[in-house]
């Protein structure tokens, strides 16, 4: 998770929501796993370039434990988050039971069966009510037995949802307890946020380091997936690709290519029939050069070498029809003129279907 917005709010002493605190917990669990992964079990193993990154991670176990102890999910705070919250929720449960007991007695009473639309307890505007038939609303018998406050009525108007006077005080008490519960939850979140604010710099460092480690391991996993090798870089611009494959094509179907350029000659013209692999070969040379300079292994045999180029230019456009119009030819020429103006001895230039738009 990207913690940047949350960390900015923590620096201003803001209070985070449950989701943001859970994001912090997830990052800290990743930190814990990464630290465990980075520990060397044997002293004789040689140090490597990743040791420093793993060792720089700051676990913040106390903060992780507190967040997990207090927050169950984005919608739920644990009863054990504080003794006050536990006490409030116990009182809410008892009040709920009292309300249900009284209302259940009321709706199950034989004398009330003909007055009720259904023998159920329902909620309206956050208060417990019972559904009473409209025709009994004004009768003296109704007033004596199930009088109370009307909170809603059915779409047909035949049913009134009434809060009996017998549970008004209990409903009020429940509402008050719900308010106290919300206030206590906000208090708990503010305490957790304050605790997190003390480690805001460590959290920012952890996130940055985890992203870097994730990127490094992703590159390694990708290299294994495509059976890639580490290229040899040459500052003299010599390219020697051995059994190179286009990285986006199926390795089981792609035809590998061998390409040498820059030693005995600096220009190579590739000719051959349609669907002979000319364009794929051009793209393979360009992509492998970019992959190597981006710090990726390349899908080619060990010992393949790549030049170090300041720019890689390409004008690769497949012919769409036999009769190419002038605009296609013009766009190709515009690209080529631009390349000629910018290219120098440290550039790699790839041109496909050169002037294919003219006779």
């Amino acid at each position: 998770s990207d913690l940047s917005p949350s960390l900015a709010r923590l620096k201003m002493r803001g209070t985070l929501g449950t989701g943001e605190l859970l994001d912090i917990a997830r990052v800290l669990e990743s930190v814990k796993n990464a630290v465990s992964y980075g520990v060397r079990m044997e002293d004789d193993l040689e140090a490597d370039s990743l040791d420093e990154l793993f060792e720089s991670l700051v676990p913040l176990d106390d903060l992780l434990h507190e967040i997990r102890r207090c927050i169950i999910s984005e919608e739920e705070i644990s009863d054990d988050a504080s003794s006050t919250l536990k006490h409030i929720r116990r009182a809410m449960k008892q009040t709920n039971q009292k309300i249900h007991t009284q209302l259940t007695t009321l709706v199950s009473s034989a004398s009330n069966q003909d007055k009720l639309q259904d023998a159920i307890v329902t909620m309206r505007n956050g208060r417990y009510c019972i559904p009473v038939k409209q025709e009994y609303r004004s009768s003296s018998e109704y007033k004596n037995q199930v009088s109370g406050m009307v909170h809603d009525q059915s779409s047909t108007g035949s049913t009134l949802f009434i809060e009996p006077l017998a549970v008004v005080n209990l409903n009020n008490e429940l509402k008050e307890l719900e308010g106290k519960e919300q206030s206590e939850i906000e208090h708990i979140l503010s305490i957790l946020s304050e605790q997190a604010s003390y480690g805001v710099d460590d959290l920012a460092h952890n996130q940055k380091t985890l992203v870097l480690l994730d990127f490094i391991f992703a590159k390694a996993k990708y290299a294994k997936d495509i059976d890639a090798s580490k290229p040899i870089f040459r500052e003299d611009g010599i390219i020697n690709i051995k059994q190179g494959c286009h990285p986006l094509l199926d390795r089981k179907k792609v035809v590998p290519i061998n390409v040498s350029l820059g030693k005995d000659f600096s220009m190579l013209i590739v000719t051959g029939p349609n669907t002979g692999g000319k364009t794929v070969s051009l793209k393979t040379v360009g992509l492998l050069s970019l992959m190597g300079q981006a710090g990726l292994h390349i899908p080619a045999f060990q010992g393949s070498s790549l030049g170090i180029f300041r720019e890689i230019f390409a004008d690769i456009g497949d012919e769409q029809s036999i009769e190419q119009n002038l605009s296609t030819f013009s766009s190709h020429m515009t690209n080529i003129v631009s390349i000629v103006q910018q290219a120098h001895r440290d550039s790699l230039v790839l041109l496909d279907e050169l002037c294919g738009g003219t006779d």
Side-chain angles (χ1 to χ4, degrees), residues 8-52:
R9 286 177 61 194
L10 287 177
K11 286 181 179 178
M12 295 185 289
R13 292 292 186 264
T15 298
L16 302 183
T18 52
E20 293 173 298
L21 287 164
L22 286 174
D23 283 344
I24 288 175
R26 278 190 284 269
V27 168
L28 289 177
E29 280 167 350
S30 296
V31 168
K32 196 172 182 179
N33 292 335
V35 168
S36 175
Y37 179 86
V39 171
R40 293 189 176 279
M41 304 305 292
E42 300 174 31
D43 294 334
D44 58 344
L45 288 174
E46 285 186 27
D48 63 43
S49 59
L50 298 183
D51 284 350
E52 191 176 337

Side-chain angles (χ1 to χ4, degrees), residues 232-246:
I232 299 166
F233 287 105
R234 301 187 55 138
E235 293 187 35
D236 55 11
I238 292 177
I239 294 175
N240 184 23
I241 296 173
K242 303 174 182 178
Q243 296 291 291
C245 298
H246 192 294

Side-chain angles (χ1 to χ4, degrees), residues 41-163:
M41 304 305 292
E42 300 174 31
D43 294 334
D44 58 344
L45 288 174
E46 285 186 27
D48 63 43
S49 59
L50 298 183
D51 284 350
E52 191 176 337
L53 287 174
F54 281 113
E55 290 165 4
S56 73
L57 291 168
V58 186
L60 299 178
D61 288 336
D62 290 344
L63 175 59
L64 172 60
H65 176 264
E66 274 301 289
I67 293 174
R68 286 301 183 199
R69 184 182 71 83
C70 296
I71 303 175
I72 296 172
S73 68
E74 283 196 39
E75 294 79 30
E76 188 177 0
I77 300 291
S78 170
D79 292 352
D80 297 321
S82 76
S83 57
T84 304
L85 184 64
K86 196 168 192 174
H87 174 75
I88 292 170
R89 286 182 172 172
R90 188 182 295 122
M92 288 173 69
K93 191 175 181 181
Q94 291 169 350
T95 306
N96 260 311
Q97 286 174 345
K98 289 178 185 177
I99 293 171
H100 274 278
T101 300
Q102 291 207 26
L103 291 179
T104 302
T105 304
L106 202 62
V107 298
S108 59
S109 169
S111 61
N112 287 328
Q113 293 303 308
D114 59 338
K115 302 176 184 64
L116 300 177
Q117 197 72 27
D118 293 294
I120 60 169
V121 176
T122 184
M123 289 282 283
R124 285 296 183 276
N125 302 323
R127 300 178 78 87
Y128 287 102
C129 300
I130 57 175
V132 178
K133 294 177 182 176
Q134 170 71 35
E135 60 201 80
Y136 286 98
R137 173 63 176 148
S138 57
S139 69
S140 58
E141 186 184 358
Y142 159 80
K143 287 181 179 176
N144 292 333
Q145 293 188 35
V146 287
S147 59
M149 299 169 62
V150 178
H151 283 283
D152 198 6
Q153 67 176 20
S154 64
S155 56
T156 60
S158 61
T159 305
L160 298 174
F161 295 96
I162 293 174
E163 177 187 7

Side-chain angles (χ1 to χ4, degrees), residues 294-312:
L296 294 169
H297 284 42
I298 62 171
F301 273 12
Q302 198 74 34
S304 294
S305 62
L306 298 173
I308 298 176
F309 301 105
R310 292 186 181 277
E311 296 94 7
I312 296 179

Side-chain angles (χ1 to χ4, degrees), residues 109-292:
S109 169
S111 61
N112 287 328
Q113 293 303 308
D114 59 338
K115 302 176 184 64
L116 300 177
Q117 197 72 27
D118 293 294
I120 60 169
V121 176
T122 184
M123 289 282 283
R124 285 296 183 276
N125 302 323
R127 300 178 78 87
Y128 287 102
C129 300
I130 57 175
V132 178
K133 294 177 182 176
Q134 170 71 35
E135 60 201 80
Y136 286 98
R137 173 63 176 148
S138 57
S139 69
S140 58
E141 186 184 358
Y142 159 80
K143 287 181 179 176
N144 292 333
Q145 293 188 35
V146 287
S147 59
M149 299 169 62
V150 178
H151 283 283
D152 198 6
Q153 67 176 20
S154 64
S155 56
T156 60
S158 61
T159 305
L160 298 174
F161 295 96
I162 293 174
E163 177 187 7
L165 287 177
V167 296
V168 168
N169 287 338
L170 287 172
N171 266 331
N172 288 341
E173 187 180 327
L174 188 60
K175 273 289 181 187
E176 189 178 337
L177 286 169
E178 286 173 356
K180 287 181 179 178
E181 179 194 32
Q182 193 56 44
S183 296
E184 181 59 20
I185 288 173
E186 289 171 6
H187 178 61
I188 291 164
L189 293 178
S190 70
I191 291 173
L192 289 173
S193 298
E194 184 179 12
Q195 190 175 343
S197 70
Y198 297 141
V200 69
D201 291 335
D202 289 333
L203 286 168
H205 168 76
N206 283 342
Q207 169 145 10
K208 186 177 179 182
T209 305
L210 284 176
V211 168
L212 180 57
L213 283 168
D214 194 36
F215 177 54
I216 291 167
F217 277 83
K219 289 196 293 181
K221 185 176 183 296
Y222 178 61
K224 289 182 74 174
D225 287 348
I226 64 171
D227 194 24
S229 67
K230 181 181 176 181
I232 299 166
F233 287 105
R234 301 187 55 138
E235 293 187 35
D236 55 11
I238 292 177
I239 294 175
N240 184 23
I241 296 173
K242 303 174 182 178
Q243 296 291 291
C245 298
H246 192 294
L248 300 181
L249 298 180
D250 186 347
R251 287 302 296 271
K252 295 176 182 177
K253 298 177 181 178
V254 66
V255 179
I257 61 167
N258 297 303
V259 178
S260 296
L261 182 64
K263 186 178 181 183
D264 299 320
F265 48 86
S266 60
M267 183 185 295
L268 178 64
I269 298 176
V270 184
T271 65
N274 287 340
T275 69
K278 301 186 296 297
T279 300
V280 171
S281 297
L282 280 174
K283 290 182 177 181
T284 300
V285 173
L287 283 172
L288 265 53
S289 297
L290 288 169
M291 285 175 71

